[in-house]
């Protein structure tokens, strides 16, 4: 799997980071350290290897996420499944009538998110097609539900991803949790990508994976 830097085009040669073929990874760090772009860059290559891409968004509307994936991968936006929990479409009475977009009424509706995700995973599994699953951003869920319930949700979802042989990539803004809460939320994941802000480009490093930079590495534009 490959990280693509911010504003990368399909022709850009990104730094490579090896990630597990199945299981889930958490990308965590301060705001404005390109966690979403790192996540989408890990998910986007799936469309070129016949692996489906499913993203849960709690922050940006679904069409925006689909367009960003399209820009990074060079694939059409309609190829990406996006589950939108932002409520923006409902507030504007503007739910897109597209088969690749699904809607949940609120980021606090973990049951609704789980139902849509499970349906999508089942469809891919029964079609003998691999899938990559993304969730941006867990911090919103932290504000809508208690930590114990969120941990249980993550434990179930990451377990289903792993059992199906799929890959998951989730993001978290660390400014919304303390060290104890971060340690708890990291437990369901097989690997950890940490980001930090610097005077120049944001940097990242990998923990708990077989390969990848152990020291801080710039996320280059």
């Amino acid at each position: 799997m490959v990280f693509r830097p911010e504003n990368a085009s399909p022709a850009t040669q990104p730094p490579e980071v090896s990630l597990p073929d199945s299981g889930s990874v958490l990308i965590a760090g301060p705001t404005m350290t390109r966690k979403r772009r790192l996540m989408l860059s890990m998910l986007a290559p799936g469309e070129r290897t016949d692996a489906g891409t499913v993203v849960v968004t709690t922050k940006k509307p679904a069409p925006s996420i689909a367009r960003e994936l399209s820009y990074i991968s060079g694939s059409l936006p309609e190829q990406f499944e996006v589950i939108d929990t932002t409520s923006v479409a409902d507030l504007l009475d503007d739910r897109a009538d597209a088969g690749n977009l699904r809607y949940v009424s609120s980021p606090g509706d973990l049951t609704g998110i789980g139902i849509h995700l499970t349906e999508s995973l089942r469809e891919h599994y029964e079609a003998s097609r691999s899938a990559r699953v993304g969730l941006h951003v867990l911090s919103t869920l932290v504000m809508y539900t208690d930590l114990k319930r969120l941990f249980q949700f993550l434990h179930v979802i990451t377990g289903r991803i792993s059992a199906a042989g799929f890959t998951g990539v989730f993001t978290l803004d660390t400014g919304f949790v303390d060290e104890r809460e971060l340690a708890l939320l990291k437990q369901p994941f097989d690997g950890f990508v940490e980001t930090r802000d610097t005077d120049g480009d944001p940097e990242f490093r990998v923990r708990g994976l077989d390969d990848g930079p152990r020291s801080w590495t710039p996320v280059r534009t």
Side-chain angles (χ1 to χ4, degrees):
M1 297 180 188
V2 171
F3 285 117
R4 290 188 185 277
E6 183 82 7
N7 297 326
S9 69
T12 301
Q13 294 297 322
E16 294 187 357
V17 177
S18 297
L19 294 170
D21 292 330
S22 66
S24 295
V25 174
L26 178 65
I27 303 173
T31 58
M32 305 298 289
T33 52
R34 298 180 186 162
K35 296 182 297 298
R36 186 184 75 255
R37 272 304 181 104
L38 290 176
M39 180 196 79
L40 296 180
S41 297
M42 294 162 65
L43 296 172
E47 294 301 318
R48 298 196 295 272
T49 59
D50 198 37
T53 302
V54 185
V55 180
V56 177
T57 175
T58 69
K59 195 170 185 179
K60 289 180 67 96
S64 297
I65 293 292
R67 285 193 299 268
E68 193 169 357
L69 273 165
S70 174
Y71 174 77
I72 295 171
S73 68
S75 301
L76 294 174
E78 292 77 15
Q79 291 184 241
F80 304 102
E81 296 180 48
V82 185
I83 301 169
D84 188 334
T85 75
T86 64
S87 302
V88 171
D90 289 334
L91 290 172
L92 299 177
D93 194 22
D94 187 31
R95 284 197 178 194
D97 186 16
N100 64 314
L101 306 182
R102 308 186 187 199
Y103 294 89
V104 177
S105 60
S106 161
D109 184 5
L110 298 186
T111 300
I113 297 171
I115 289 173
H116 281 303
L117 257 181
T118 300
E119 288 176 351
S120 183
L121 295 178
R122 183 184 298 114
E123 289 169 2
H124 283 83
Y125 186 80
E126 291 178 349
S128 299
R129 188 184 187 207
S130 183
R132 298 180 180 188
V133 178
L135 193 154
H136 177 75
V137 54
L138 288 174
S139 315
T140 309
L141 303 185
V142 170
M143 295 187 290
Y144 275 81
T145 188
D146 66 84
L147 201 66
K148 180 179 179 181
R149 185 163 178 248
L150 178 56
F151 172 80
Q152 292 170 338
F153 169 80
L154 292 174
H155 180 74
V156 170
I157 294 300
T158 56
R160 289 174 181 170
I161 290 170
S162 180
F166 298 161
T167 300
V169 188
F170 297 61
T171 69
L172 173 68
D173 289 333
T174 51
F176 289 83
V177 295
D178 58 31
E179 291 185 6
R180 181 189 65 84
E181 293 168 335
L182 176 60
L184 178 66
L185 293 176
K186 286 167 61 176
Q187 289 184 23
F189 295 92
D190 303 290
F192 182 58
V193 178
E194 186 178 6
T195 66
R196 71 175 183 181
D197 197 10
T198 68
D199 291 335
D201 292 325
E203 296 178 332
F204 73 95
R205 63 183 179 182
V206 173
R207 292 289 183 268
L209 300 172
D210 292 337
D211 298 298
R214 299 296 191 268
S215 60
W216 290 107
T217 303
V219 181
R220 299 187 184 280
T221 57

